[in-house]
Structure formats: C-alpha cells, structure tokens
C-alpha cells in the first residue's frame, strides 16, 4: 500500500468518526445552550476554557513528544507508554490541586467551582485518551482512534439527553462528560494492549525526567496555544459577565465543530511528516503545500457563505435568545481559515523539530491577544474578543510564513496562485449570493454549483492533484 493510500485509509476512518462526532456535538451544543440558558451556558464555557488552559498541568507536552518519537521508532513504544501513563497520573493529581487553588484565589462562586473541578477531571481522562490516540497515529492505525472517538461522542450525546430529560442541570451535564470519556478510555486502552503494543509499566525516574525535559517546548507551546484560544472566554467572564460569555461561547462552539475536521487531517499528517523529514525533506514540503491547498479549498467558501447567513444560522440553532451571537459568528468564522493555514505551518515546523520556534510564535501571539483583549472587551464586549482573535491569527500566520521562509522551506510559487484562485472563486461566490439573495437552504446547493464551476474554470486542480486522487482510488 502506498503512503498516499495509507494516509487516505487513516483519514477515512477518522473522517467518518469525525462526521459522527460533529453531528453529535452539533446536536448537544444546541440542546445544552437552549437547556441552560445564556448565563449558565456562560459558566459552562468558563469551566471548559479554564480547564483547557490548565490541562497542560496533566501532561506537560509528553504526549506530543511521544507521538513523534514512536512514529520513527516503533520498538520504543512499550517503554515510552509504560512510563508516560503513571507519570501523567502523578501530574494529574498535582494539577487538580492547583486548579482548586486558582479558583479560590479568583473568588469563584460555588457552582462555578464545582463545575470547573468536574471538567478538570474530564480533562485528565481526555489527556490519557490523547496519549492513546497519539499511539494509534504513530502506528498509522487510525481506525481504532476513529472507533474510540465514535464511542465517546455517541455515549456523551446519550448521557446529555438523559440529563436534560431528567433535569439534572449543569452538574448532570458536567458528569456526563466524565462518564463518556471514561468509557472511551477503557475501550482504547483495551485495543492498544491487544492489537498495537503492550506498555511496559515502570517509573524509571531518569527516563521520566528526560522525556519531561524533552517535552517542555511542546508543553509551553500547548499552554500558550490554550491561552491564546481560551483566555478570551475567561476574560469575558471576569470583565463583562457570564451573559456575554454565553453569547460568545455559543458561537465558539459552532466554530469548534468546524475545526474538528482540521484535527483529523493533522492527526494523520503529523506522523507522516515526521517520517518525511527523516527520510525525504522534499516530500515534507510537498505534503505541506497540499495541506494548505486542500484545506483552503474547503474552508474559504464556507466562511463566505457563513458571513451572508450568520443571522439565519444562529436563529436556526439557538433561537432568538442568542440573536447577538450572529455578529460574533460573522467575525470568528475567519479564524477557521487562518487556523487551517497556521495549523499546517505548525505541523511542518513540529515535524521539522522546530517546536521551540512554534513556542516563541505562540508566546508572542498570546501576549498580543491578552493585551488587546484588555482594551477591546470593555468597549466591544464579545465582538471585541472576536476581532482580537482574528487579528491574533493573522499575526501568527505572518510569523509562521516568515520562519518557514527563513528555514528554506519555500513553497512552490504555484501554491500562491492556487490560493489566489481559491480566494477569487470564493469572492465570485460571495458576489453571486449577494445579488441572488436566496433563502439559506436554496443557497447551499446553488452556492456549491457556482463555486465548483468557478474552481474548475480556473483550473485549480493540476496533474499532481489528479495523481493523488488516483492513488487514493488505487488506480495508479
């Protein structure tokens, strides 16, 4: 089986599971937002964001370091996993205590403290799942991650439905996340142990110290990434209130559903890029170029359509209680486009062992984002937080492009022309939607026809793309 076919096989499993996950997430996002109301939904958003920022306390970047190492040396997996699992357990206990201290210092109310601690436990379980998923990625066995992801999201949706039906409130919602993740973890560990590799459990102190030190750049990058994407929710709660947080969080959840598709692509491509860097750097650059092209081909027209129909989307999903979220959606949708570009750049840099550089970029972006939010949120509330996020994403892409260029990874000029064609095609789509002024449901098929017709006429797909498609279909 060729490398392209292997990639597509793994992506197929993950894509199917992610479609199921996105559908489930879409449903429970609507149900939870409508059930809790804006203020309680704001508390939930605060809890998820704060524990997301502090989740690095349970992991310290060890998971990412292990994926990269195992992908190039399968024989090291038993020792790495056997030490990482108990080590993460120790870090998790320390992390829980620190989060409780932080909540007390913040003078959070009782409900906020309980919900946040419950989600802290959920994050611990999720970090163990991430470690196992990383192992599946390293061994290019995406089907097990896909099945585990499907189990997690399906069970979570069922538990949330039960919670809402029985009216267990925000505590019931929080416990649902814990139980669903626990069941998924049990399945994934069973599969790893039976079909992939059996961890050799030990607590080799020198070894644990070495992998922790080696993972520090990943840890710093991860916490800066979390601060960058979650600090706005925490700041909104403390500076404006839970209502504004609820409005912003409702939109952010929709955006998160879209970014989940990118995580599938990254999960498959990162181990492959690591191998390419070790064996053939030219293939590394080709993989990067195609990642940018295909991701932009999908997301830019979607962003254009979202801007035109943001009000209709919010009304359909959340109802009139969340009317104010339409402006936030029109702004935040552009972060998805920028995230797809920056994510591909991150994958290239991390696969090239430039994680320290990634850390520095996110350090600059986190400081910029936090400082600008202090100015924007008091004046523009949730819209200010959304604008700050987009501007911060622009800064990241600029810095990444500069670093990649200076490292000698200079994409083929054709990539720039392809991206320009995609932007032109999406622009034509936007003009057509403006003048046609169609109902949203009619605009979807009409817009797709217009966009793909323009893409075809502009010859966005070249011979290399046709070769990739034939490889996927097994016709080469």
């Amino acid at each position: 089986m060729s490398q392209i076919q292997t990639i597509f096989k793994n992506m197929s499993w993950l894509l199917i599971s992610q479609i199921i996950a996105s559908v489930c997430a879409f449903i429970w996002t609507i149900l939870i937002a409508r059930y809790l109301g804006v203020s309680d939904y704001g508390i939930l958003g605060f809890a998820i964001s704060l524990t997301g920022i502090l989740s690095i306390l349970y992991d310290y970047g060890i998971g990412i370091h292990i994926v990269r190492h195992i992908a190039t040396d399968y024989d090291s997996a038993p020792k790495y996993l056997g030490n990482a699992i108990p080590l993460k357990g120790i870090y998790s206990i320390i992390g829980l205590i620190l989060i409780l201290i932080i909540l007390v210092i913040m003078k959070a109310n009782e409900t906020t403290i309980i919900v946040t601690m419950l989600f802290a436990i959920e994050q611990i379980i999720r970090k163990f799942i991430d470690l196992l998923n990383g192992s599946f990625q390293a061994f290019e066995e995406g089907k097990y991650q896909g099945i585990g992801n499907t189990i997690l999201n399906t069970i979570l949706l069922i538990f949330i439905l039960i919670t809402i039906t029985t009216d267990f409130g925000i505590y019931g919602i929080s416990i649902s996340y814990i139980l669903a993740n626990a069941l998924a973890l049990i399945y994934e560990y069973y599969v790893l142990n039976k079909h992939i590799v059996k961890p050799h459990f030990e607590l080799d102190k020198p070894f644990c110290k070495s992998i922790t030190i080696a993972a520090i750049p990943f840890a710093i990058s991860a916490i800066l990434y979390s601060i960058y994407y979650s600090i706005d929710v925490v700041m909104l709660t403390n500076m404006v209130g839970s209502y504004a947080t609820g409005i912003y969080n409702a939109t952010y959840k929709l955006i998160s559903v879209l970014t989940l598709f990118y995580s599938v692509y990254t999960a498959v491509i990162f181990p492959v890029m690591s191998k390419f860097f070790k064996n053939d750097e030219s293939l590394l650059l080709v993989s990067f170029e195609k990642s940018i092209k295909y991701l932009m081909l999908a997301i830019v027209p979607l962003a254009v359509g979202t801007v035109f129909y943001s009000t209709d989307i919010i009304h359909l999903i959340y109802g009139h209680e969340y009317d104010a979220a339409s402006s936030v959606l029109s702004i935040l949708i552009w972060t998805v486009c920028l995230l797809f570009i920056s994510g591909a750049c991150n994958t290239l840099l991390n696969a090239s062992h430039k994680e320290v550089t990634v850390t520095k970029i996110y350090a600059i972006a986190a400081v910029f984002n936090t400082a600008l939010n202090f100015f924007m949120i008091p004046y523009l509330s949730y819209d200010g937080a959304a604008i700050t996020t987009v501007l911060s994403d622009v800064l990241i892409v600029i810095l990444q492009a500069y670093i990649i260029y200076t490292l000698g990874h200079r994409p083929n000029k054709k990539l720039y022309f392809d991206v320009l064609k995609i932007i032109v095609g999406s622009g034509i789509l936007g003009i057509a939607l403006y003048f046609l002024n169609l109902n949203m449901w009619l605009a979807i098929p009409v817009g797709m026809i217009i966009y793909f017709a323009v893409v075809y006429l502009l010859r966005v797909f070249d011979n290399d793309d046709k070769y990739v498609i034939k490889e996927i279909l097994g016709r080469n």
Side-chain angles (χ1 to χ4, degrees), residues 132 136 184-196:
L132 302 187
F136 297 144
L185 177 61
I186 292 171
Y187 162 78
E188 293 204 3
Y189 180 76
Y190 170 78
V191 169
L192 178 79
N193 199 58
K194 184 175 182 180
H195 298 291
I196 307 297

Side-chain angles (χ1 to χ4, degrees), residues 2 25 29 76 91 110 115 167 177 187 196 208 219 242 270 279 302 355 367 398 402-403 421 440:
S2 71
T29 295
S76 66
Y91 288 154
E110 181 181 349
V115 172
D167 196 22
Y177 276 83
Y187 162 78
I196 307 297
C208 289
S242 59
F270 178 62
N279 302 321
L302 182 61
E355 55 270 12
V367 171
I398 292 172
Y402 172 75
I403 295 298
K421 290 177 182 178
M440 182 177 68

Side-chain angles (χ1 to χ4, degrees), residues 84-381:
I85 291 174
L87 182 62
K88 284 164 68 72
I90 295 172
Y91 288 154
S92 297
I93 295 172
I94 298 171
L96 275 177
I97 297 171
L98 290 174
I99 289 176
L100 181 58
I101 293 172
I102 290 171
L103 288 170
V104 172
I105 293 173
M106 293 177 66
K107 298 181 179 179
N109 60 45
E110 181 181 349
T111 300
T112 301
I113 291 176
I114 294 174
V115 172
T116 303
M117 292 305 296
L118 288 173
F119 271 99
I121 295 171
E122 183 262 350
Q123 280 288 343
I124 291 174
I125 300 171
R126 185 175 290 274
K127 281 297 180 180
F128 279 102
I129 292 176
D130 289 343
L131 178 62
L132 302 187
N133 284 340
S135 302
F136 297 144
Q137 295 162 22
F139 282 91
E140 298 184 32
E141 292 288 352
K143 65 179 180 180
Y144 297 121
Q145 180 179 349
I147 294 171
N149 194 37
T150 301
I151 291 172
L152 167 60
N153 288 280
T154 303
I155 292 177
L156 178 54
L157 177 59
I158 293 171
F159 284 161
I160 287 173
L161 287 170
I162 293 173
T163 297
I164 293 174
T165 302
T166 54
D167 196 22
F168 281 162
I170 193 170
Y171 297 146
I173 296 292
S174 305
I175 294 172
S176 296
Y177 276 83
I178 295 175
L179 294 176
N181 277 274
L183 291 173
L185 177 61
I186 292 171
Y187 162 78
E188 293 204 3
Y189 180 76
Y190 170 78
V191 169
L192 178 79
N193 199 58
K194 184 175 182 180
H195 298 291
I196 307 297
V197 62
K198 293 184 178 181
H200 177 64
F201 287 108
E202 58 179 337
L203 200 59
D204 184 336
K205 292 182 180 179
F207 183 77
C208 289
K209 181 179 179 181
S210 67
I211 62 175
T212 300
I213 293 173
I216 286 175
F218 291 115
I220 296 173
S221 180
I223 194 168
L224 290 172
Y225 182 90
S226 297
I227 290 173
Y228 173 66
Y229 282 106
S230 300
I231 195 65
D232 44 9
V233 175
V234 176
M235 292 177 71
L236 272 170
T237 301
N238 285 279
M239 298 174 71
V240 184
S242 59
Y243 181 86
T245 305
I247 292 293
Y248 186 79
N249 190 50
T251 304
Y252 215 92
K253 287 296 183 182
L254 292 182
I255 298 299
S256 297
V257 171
L258 294 177
T259 58
L260 287 174
F261 285 98
Y262 166 74
S263 66
V264 172
Y265 195 86
T266 301
V268 176
I269 289 297
F270 178 62
V272 174
M273 279 193 172
S274 294
K275 289 183 179 180
F276 284 167
F277 180 76
K278 183 177 180 181
N279 302 321
D280 190 340
E281 288 195 39
S282 64
L283 289 176
L284 175 67
L285 189 57
V286 170
S287 179
F288 168 72
E289 292 174 355
K290 293 302 179 184
S291 296
I292 293 288
K293 180 176 179 178
Y294 298 152
L295 291 170
M296 296 306 293
L297 189 66
I299 194 59
V300 175
L302 182 61
V304 171
T306 300
V307 169
F308 277 95
Y309 294 97
S310 60
T311 301
D312 293 329
I313 293 170
I314 293 298
H315 284 176
L316 175 67
I317 295 172
Y318 295 120
H320 290 288
E321 186 179 2
Y322 289 85
D323 276 354
S326 60
S327 62
V328 181
L329 180 59
S330 295
I331 300 167
L332 279 183
I333 188 62
W334 296 106
T335 65
V336 182
C337 299
L338 295 165
L339 175 63
F340 278 24
I341 297 175
S342 65
C345 293
N346 277 345
T347 304
L348 173 64
L349 292 171
N350 283 330
S352 303
H353 296 195
K354 295 297 180 182
E355 55 270 12
V356 175
T357 303
V358 174
T359 300
K360 291 178 181 178
I361 291 173
Y362 275 95
I364 295 171
V367 171
F368 174 82
N369 182 277
T370 304
L372 191 57
N373 267 322
F374 270 114
F375 173 77
M376 297 290 280
I377 289 177
Y379 290 97
L380 297 174
S381 188

Side-chain angles (χ1 to χ4, degrees), residues 431-453:
I431 293 171
L433 292 176
Y434 176 78
F435 283 105
L436 291 174
N437 193 26
L438 300 171
N439 171 275
M440 182 177 68
W441 297 109
L442 181 59
I444 294 173
V446 171
M448 291 177 64
I449 293 171
I450 293 172
Y451 177 68
F452 284 113

